[in-house]
Each structure stands twice: as C-alpha cells, then as structure tokens.
Amino acid sequence: MNPVADTAIFFGKFLYYFLESLVFKVIPKRKKDVSGEIVLITGAGSGLGRLLAIHFASHGATLVLWDINQEGNMETCRLVKQKGDVKVFAYKCDCSSRIEVYRVADQVREEVGDVTILINNAGVVTGKSFLNTPDHLVEKSFLVNAISHFWTCKAFLPAMVKANHGHLVCISSIAGLVGINGLSDYSSSKFAAFGFAESLFLELTMIMKTKIKSTIVCPYFIKTGMFEGCTTKYPLLLPLLEQEYVAQKIFNAILEEQVYLIIPKFAYVALFLKQIISPKMMIALGEYLGVDTCMTSFTGRVKAEELQMETERKEQ
C-alpha cells in the first residue's frame, strides 16, 4: 500500500476511535446480556470469585465454579442458588496442575457444555522478601497466577473460536504493571498473566479476526484476606479496595466489553509517571505513597493454605 494513503487511513482510524472513546466516557456502552452464558470462574470458593459468581447468577448465567478448597466452593454454590433458579456446577480443581485442569475441563464439557465466559481469578500470594521465599512457593505462585491461564485457555478457547463467541477475563493486579517490594514472586507472576492476556487479546483481534472479547483487570490490594495486614499511607490516593466494589466494577467491565480495567483511577496517573520520570524520582514517589512499607505487617491467609502447600510439597 502507498505509505501516504496508509498513513492517512491510520490517522483517520485513530481520530475516529479517539472520538468514539470520548463518546463512551459520556454515554456508557450498552451492556451485553449474559443470561444463558456458561461462566467458569477459577478461585470461586471465596472473595472476588464468590462475589462474581453471585453477580452472574443474578443475571441468569450458568455457573461453573472451580476451586481447590471444596468446602469454600460448596458455600459459594449454596449462596448462588439463593438467587433463584440458577444452574450451578461446582468442581474441585487444582489449577496449578495441567493434568487436573484438562481432566476437569473435559468433565465440564460433558456435564455442562462449552464455556463461553472464562474468568481466570485464582491466585496465591506469599508476601515474603525474595531471599526468604522458598523455591516451591515461587513455583506455586507462577503455576496458579499465570501458567494455569495457559491451560484453561487451551482447554476452552477452541470452542469459543469455533463459535466465534466468547469472553476471556484475566484478573491480574497493579503489581502486574509495577513491581512492588516484598512481592517479587507475586508481582512477576502477575506481569506474566497480564502479558499473556494482552498478547492473546491482540492475537484473537488482529490475526484471527474473531469476535471473542477480552477483559484484563488490574486492581490494587483488595480486602479479601489474601492481603491481610497490608497498609496504605494515603487511602484517598491508593485505598485498600472493598471486594464488593471491585466485583461490581469487574462485572460492569465484562458487560461493557471493556478491555482494560485499572482500579483505583489514581493508578493511571502513577503508571503514566512511571514511564516519564527517572528511577530515583520513581523511588521517591513510591516512598511518598508508602509502597516501601505497605507489606511490613502482611499476614495474608496463613492458616489452612500454608499447611496445604506444605503437605503437597512433602508428597511430591
């Protein structure tokens, strides 16, 4: 193509999409109907996964709940059924195991059908400094927070591509956009999850030209117990997020087919500054925001999960 014509077409598209984005800032996009959709949520046994399941159940979706914690998953199942005549299927699945993901995925296809909305939500965090993080917990962080996304997408994406219909949702983190001290394994695994989700979005959109949607979510610390003990220096700028608020924002983003969701909005400012200021300025900004001390009193979910991880490690 002629470079002049090519450039003119680019600027035309760029201007059109810019104006379109401005319009959608004023007039919200029409929300899609998820009734009848088969929605699979990993890490559905508590916190964000549970709340998302309740939201989808309220809108008539069929729920498939995955969690390694069978007791928590069954409690989510019970809460979802309170929403009325809802189809819900609960499965115990260790998302860190490729073999188990594929096995349970086959079971879901046989018993429920083809998943049309996949929400990769399962996550673990150790909250230890790099040199104090045991090797098996580093591996666990990557297996659950990032590599499991490869297996779930490989399991369910082919049917979406065949039907030219579906939605992939990645729950990453602000820590997947900027490194946070005391979270070296978690942060790097969330970077990996974000990178995978974004590259797959581009592949599906630019190369395969499908109608499959993607939503990539990057929230700050959420009050789910996972980041118990974390603090924030200036709650007005970087608040510890209420899980109900985050779940509602994610649900709305999915219904509006929003590609990127970063919470809170101040994070957009901080991320922009990161790209243009010097490293020393960035460190000064981090200290001002309390990033250097936010993990000092971290405890996290230290009870059943640590015992379970230790047992799994000994059995290997």
Side-chain angles (χ1 to χ4, degrees):
M1 182 178 286
N2 185 293
V4 176
D6 195 25
T7 303
I9 291 172
F10 161 71
F11 278 114
K13 288 182 177 180
F14 197 84
L15 178 61
Y16 174 80
Y17 293 135
F18 174 72
L19 294 174
E20 180 186 61
S21 66
L22 290 180
V23 170
F24 285 139
K25 292 293 183 182
V26 179
I27 305 173
K29 290 182 180 179
R30 180 182 177 184
K31 291 180 170 62
K32 69 179 178 181
D33 182 13
V34 294
S35 61
E37 300 282 358
I38 299 178
V39 182
L40 189 150
I41 305 172
T42 67
S46 63
L48 199 56
R50 174 175 292 173
L51 292 171
L52 287 171
I54 293 172
H55 277 295
F56 276 102
S58 299
H59 285 71
T62 297
L63 273 299
V64 179
L65 311 176
W66 280 16
D67 204 291
I68 194 172
N69 181 344
Q70 192 167 14
E71 182 179 349
N73 213 26
M74 292 310 297
E75 175 63 14
T76 301
C77 185
R78 184 188 69 81
L79 293 171
V80 165
K81 287 181 178 179
Q82 291 180 353
K83 293 298 177 180
D85 185 20
V86 180
K87 293 181 180 179
V88 55
F89 303 83
Y91 298 87
K92 182 178 180 180
C93 183
D94 178 4
C95 291
S96 68
S97 168
R98 174 176 55 85
I99 293 174
E100 186 162 345
V101 167
Y102 288 165
R103 178 185 63 79
V104 181
D106 287 339
Q107 192 176 350
V108 169
R109 277 190 292 270
E110 291 177 7
E111 298 176 358
V112 187
D114 291 326
V115 169
T116 55
I117 299 178
L118 171 62
I119 303 177
N120 282 308
N121 168 72
V124 295
V125 58
T126 57
K128 300 178 183 291
S129 63
F130 171 65
L131 293 178
N132 289 325
T133 305
D135 291 351
H136 73 281
L137 291 185
V138 173
E139 292 175 346
K140 192 76 173 182
S141 292
F142 273 88
L143 287 170
V144 176
N145 297 347
I147 296 177
S148 67
H149 296 199
F150 284 78
W151 313 144
T152 56
C153 287
K154 275 183 173 284
F156 298 113
L157 184 58
M160 295 185 192
V161 171
K162 184 177 181 180
N164 199 23
H165 172 77
H167 200 140
L168 303 176
V169 182
C170 167
I171 308 299
S172 183
S173 171
I174 287 293
L177 297 173
V178 58
I180 297 179
N181 57 280
L183 289 174
S184 57
D185 58 331
Y186 178 82
S187 187
S188 51
S189 68
K190 289 296 187 177
F191 264 89
F194 182 94
F196 170 65
E198 188 172 56
S199 62
L200 188 54
F201 157 66
L202 295 173
E203 184 174 322
L204 290 168
T205 305
M206 299 175 68
I207 308 300
M208 299 178 69
K209 308 293 184 183
T210 72
K211 294 181 180 179
I212 297 169
K213 308 302 180 182
S214 295
T215 297
I216 309 171
V217 184
C218 297
Y220 191 56
F221 299 152
I222 309 172
K223 297 179 183 178
T224 59
M226 190 171 175
F227 283 96
E228 189 69 34
C230 290
T231 59
T232 181
K233 189 176 178 182
Y234 296 114
L236 290 177
L237 294 178
L238 283 178
L240 298 179
L241 302 168
E242 296 293 340
Q243 53 184 333
E244 292 84 0
Y245 169 76
V246 176
Q248 184 64 64
K249 295 287 285 186
I250 294 172
F251 185 66
N252 288 341
I254 294 170
L255 295 188
E256 294 176 2
E257 298 180 341
Q258 185 176 336
V259 178
Y260 300 102
L261 174 64
I262 301 176
I263 316 171
K265 289 188 179 298
F266 174 76
Y268 286 97
V269 178
L271 291 168
F272 173 73
L273 289 175
K274 179 192 173 187
Q275 309 304 318
I276 63 174
I277 62 179
S278 70
K280 289 182 178 180
M281 293 168 69
M282 184 179 70
I283 291 172
L285 176 62
E287 290 174 342
Y288 170 72
L289 295 174
V291 176
D292 56 329
T293 58
C294 66
M295 294 294 295
T296 302
S297 56
F298 170 83
T299 57
R301 294 193 182 113
V302 296
K303 300 172 185 175
E305 291 188 2
E306 281 194 355
L307 292 174
Q308 186 174 26
M309 287 183 182
E310 185 65 22
T311 300
E312 290 174 354
R313 186 172 66 87
K314 289 178 179 178
E315 290 175 350
Q316 290 177 350

